[in-house]
Amino acid sequence: MSSGTESSGADTANSPLSVEEIKVAALAALTVAGSEAVLDEWRVSYLGRKSDLTNVLRSISSLPADDRKAVGASANLLRASLEEALAEKTQELRGAAGSVADALDVTLPGRRRRRGGLHPTTQTIRELTDAFGAMGFQVAEGPEVEWERYNFDALNIPAEHPARDSWDTFWLESPDGEGRSDMLLRTHTSPMQARIMEKADPPIRVVIPGRCFRYEATDATHEWHFFQLEGLAVDKGITFADMKGTLFEFARRIFGPDRKVRFRVDFFPFVEPGAEMAIDCFKCNGQGCSLCKGTGWIEIMGAGMVHPSVLRNVGYDPEVYTGFAFGMGVERIAMLRHGIDDVRQFAAGDLRFLSQF
Ligand code: PHE
């Protein structure tokens, strides 16, 4: 059965231990050694003159010629690694003894672990989608790199339409390197209106949070990337009153039960009529203060009835279906609610800012 270095010792009671067996026993004993005195005993019994390892090394000459080389090599290797392990363990014990006494003051207060948290933008998106979710809206997401077709054309903004100037656009380079391609970084979340209507049949009630990009200079109220929350509801017989009711309820859920809302005419090519919605200032209750710049009102989103051309573009019959859409800046909502005065804080990555939320 067994022979040479792998001799198991099972043949006879006093056959010599194999190198492997010595190693296992030595390392096990070393692990539990807790003082330098014990280490000294360990050295004598595993590396000393009468140790099993020394015996193995001594007996090499009496081994069959074929085995000598292998046994010799592994025994020497083990000796070297046991010496190294001993040195390490000695270091460890000395180090521990020194540092425990000197450096550990058990009366010091513990160091608190910093807790991670959700980014204020993420928190706001969740609050907004929760508010609309409670009113029956689903949540969808879409691509940040978008086709010109969805970002503009499907939304009633053809090439050369002056309204394109309202969305300063990052265009992707064309693959041949000659000028721009027909892809861009979406300038708003509205392209998802078209994408969703193309895929689904009414009734539709959905909100779409997502990052948008605009090629413009940054300041306290402008970022080149930011989040929007888009909303879309389409069905038979949806009216402007449905939109007002929905957005009024939303404003109460997010800004408090006493809010009033105000709709004024605004223009977006993909809605008709288009509106801008404001709430009465929740800080001064409409009296006029620094937050509402003395007007008593705070604009929070663009909205309107989905334009018949947009419905036609996605294959809906505008004589049968109507709907409303709205879009708001997520950071703007967060800034209003938390009194944040610089939108650039959101992407600055400063934990002193972020950890307040
Ligand atoms: N997409 C518009 C913007 O970025 C907002 C909007 C969305 C307006 C939906 C009306 C309807 O300014």
Side-chain angles (χ1 to χ4, degrees):
M1 49 187 292
S2 58
S3 70
T5 54
E6 294 309 314
S7 157
S8 68
D11 307 355
T12 59
N14 54 3
S15 78
L17 290 173
S18 73
V19 172
E20 190 55 34
E21 285 164 331
I22 296 170
K23 180 175 171 184
V24 170
L27 292 178
L30 188 62
T31 315
V32 298
S35 71
E36 290 198 53
V38 176
L39 281 188
D40 211 46
E41 285 167 23
W42 182 90
R43 190 182 52 73
V44 171
S45 50
Y46 289 101
L47 291 167
R49 274 184 299 125
K50 292 182 185 147
S51 68
D52 292 322
L53 185 55
T54 307
N55 281 337
V56 170
L57 285 163
R58 267 199 207 118
S59 67
I60 284 175
S61 55
S62 61
L63 288 175
D66 283 352
D67 291 348
R68 280 180 208 162
K69 203 166 163 194
V71 177
S74 62
N76 276 315
L77 212 62
L78 178 60
R79 168 171 280 275
S81 73
L82 288 185
E83 277 165 358
E84 197 178 312
L86 174 63
E88 249 169 50
K89 184 78 183 185
T90 309
Q91 273 293 321
E92 191 184 305
L93 285 179
R94 285 191 190 143
S99 67
V100 166
D102 305 338
L104 185 67
D105 179 352
V106 293
T107 65
L108 280 174
R111 250 180 241 157
R112 214 178 258 267
R113 285 226 179 176
R114 200 192 268 276
R115 257 222 204 151
L118 292 177
H119 191 283
T121 306
T122 309
Q123 289 182 35
T124 308
I125 288 174
R126 291 195 182 178
E127 287 161 19
L128 298 176
T129 52
D130 280 353
F132 283 108
M135 293 188 272
F137 284 74
Q138 292 180 293
V139 181
E141 286 184 309
E144 293 174 358
V145 177
E146 186 55 281
W147 297 102
E148 173 179 13
R149 182 163 97 69
Y150 287 112
N151 197 84
F152 289 128
D153 301 79
L155 297 175
N156 214 16
I157 318 172
E160 318 309 333
H161 191 291
R164 284 208 182 185
D165 295 349
S166 330
W167 292 278
D168 304 284
T169 308
F170 284 111
W171 292 93
L172 270 66
E173 251 175 46
S174 77
D176 59 16
E178 311 247 326
R180 67 167 176 80
S181 72
D182 46 4
M183 297 198 94
L184 44 76
L185 300 185
R186 67 175 170 201
T187 59
H188 50 180
T189 40
S190 301
M192 282 301 288
Q193 292 184 28
R195 280 183 178 273
I196 286 168
M197 287 191 281
E198 250 181 20
K199 283 239 168 70
D201 293 324
I204 288 174
R205 268 178 298 180
V206 64
V207 287
I208 307 111
R211 198 191 289 277
C212 307
F213 306 82
R214 292 206 190 153
Y215 182 51
E216 59 187 10
T218 60
D219 62 31
T221 52
H222 295 87
E223 253 290 15
W224 61 271
H225 63 125
F226 53 91
F227 282 80
Q228 284 191 341
L229 184 91
E230 189 83 11
L232 176 70
V234 186
D235 201 354
K236 287 180 182 153
I238 289 200
T239 68
F240 201 89
D242 294 315
M243 181 179 91
K244 286 177 77 173
T246 305
L247 295 180
F248 176 54
E249 180 57 23
F250 157 76
R252 287 164 35 92
R253 284 176 192 259
I254 296 295
F255 293 101
D258 301 326
R259 293 290 55 83
K260 300 190 191 101
V261 296
R262 181 190 74 182
F263 290 87
R264 292 203 301 190
V265 167
D266 200 351
F267 175 74
F268 302 94
F270 35 93
V271 287
E272 181 58 35
E276 153 236 286
M277 178 178 131
I279 54 172
D280 65 329
C281 181
F282 50 86
K283 194 168 168 195
C284 62
N285 270 320
Q287 298 308 300
C289 67
S290 59
L291 185 66
C292 58
K293 304 206 178 66
T295 65
W297 294 97
I298 299 174
E299 291 165 17
I300 57 172
M301 68 176 95
M305 301 303 289
V306 181
H307 196 291
S309 307
V310 174
L311 295 173
R312 238 177 269 118
N313 286 342
V314 296
Y316 287 10
D317 181 351
E319 298 298 327
V320 179
Y321 294 109
T322 52
F324 63 83
F326 54 88
M328 68 191 91
V330 174
E331 286 89 347
R332 179 161 161 73
I333 304 281
M335 287 167 78
L336 289 169
R337 294 184 73 198
H338 298 297
I340 299 162
D341 58 11
D342 193 331
V343 68
R344 292 169 294 191
Q345 294 275 18
F346 288 92
D350 187 337
L351 286 178
R352 291 169 303 176
F353 170 76
L354 296 173
S355 60
Q356 298 175 78
F357 302 97

